[in-house]
Amino acid sequence: MKTDLEIGRVIAVDTSQLTIEIDKDLKSLVKTTYHATYEVAKVNSYLIIPIGLKKIVAMINRVVIAEEAEIKPEKTMVVLPLSKKIMKATMIGTIEGKNYKQGIDIFPILDNPVWIATKDELDIIFDT
């Protein structure tokens, strides 16, 4: 089920790094929800990757636009490249209920949704 906080999907997982494709429907890098307006894909901002009752916290450290040319041998015309907005993020901790702990003990899977970190989640992370 897609929420209004969702901004992308996991497309690669490493031991500490994630590669995330930003949702194609997100035309600008600003997401407005019922509660607030958020900047999307800002370096050093936080993301939430939900896995069951736990939420992995990740920090964005790279944002790029990747272009892929569509190559089909039967085509006799020029095909413009498709662009994807890609983020790299480092997994730094886990939220379970109202508690935050450094490090992760569960990993996301491919196509896992990625959410914007809300003020409530940031308060848990920074213990305010």
Side-chain angles (χ1 to χ4, degrees), residues 12-65:
V13 180
D14 201 338
T15 55
S16 64
Q17 292 278 317
L18 296 174
T19 304
I20 300 154
E21 182 178 357
I22 298 172
D23 192 354
K24 290 175 180 51
D25 295 335
L26 196 61
K27 299 301 179 198
S28 70
L29 293 180
V30 175
K31 175 94 174 181
T32 302
T33 68
Y34 180 72
H35 298 288
T37 299
Y38 302 93
E39 290 184 16
V40 176
K42 186 175 177 183
V43 173
N44 286 339
S45 62
Y46 293 88
L47 300 171
I48 299 295
I49 300 92
I51 302 176
L53 297 175
K54 294 184 179 184
K55 297 175 184 176
I56 293 175
V57 179
M59 183 185 289
I60 300 171
N61 51 32
R62 185 166 191 220
V63 180
V64 298
I65 292 181

Side-chain angles (χ1 to χ4, degrees), residues 55-99:
K55 297 175 184 176
I56 293 175
V57 179
M59 183 185 289
I60 300 171
N61 51 32
R62 185 166 191 220
V63 180
V64 298
I65 292 181
E67 292 186 353
E68 293 180 349
E70 185 181 0
I71 301 171
K72 293 186 179 177
E74 68 274 3
K75 297 244 180 189
T76 57
M77 65 183 120
V78 175
V79 180
L80 296 174
L82 303 170
S83 65
K84 291 196 249 185
K85 295 180 205 126
I86 304 288
M87 294 185 289
K88 297 276 188 177
T90 302
M91 296 178 281
I92 59 171
T94 308
I95 295 174
E96 190 167 3
K98 297 285 183 188
N99 299 313

Side-chain angles (χ1 to χ4, degrees), residues 101-114:
K101 71 172 189 166
Q102 288 290 110
I104 57 169
D105 55 7
I106 188 168
F107 288 86
I109 60 172
L110 297 179
D111 208 34
N112 211 118
V114 177

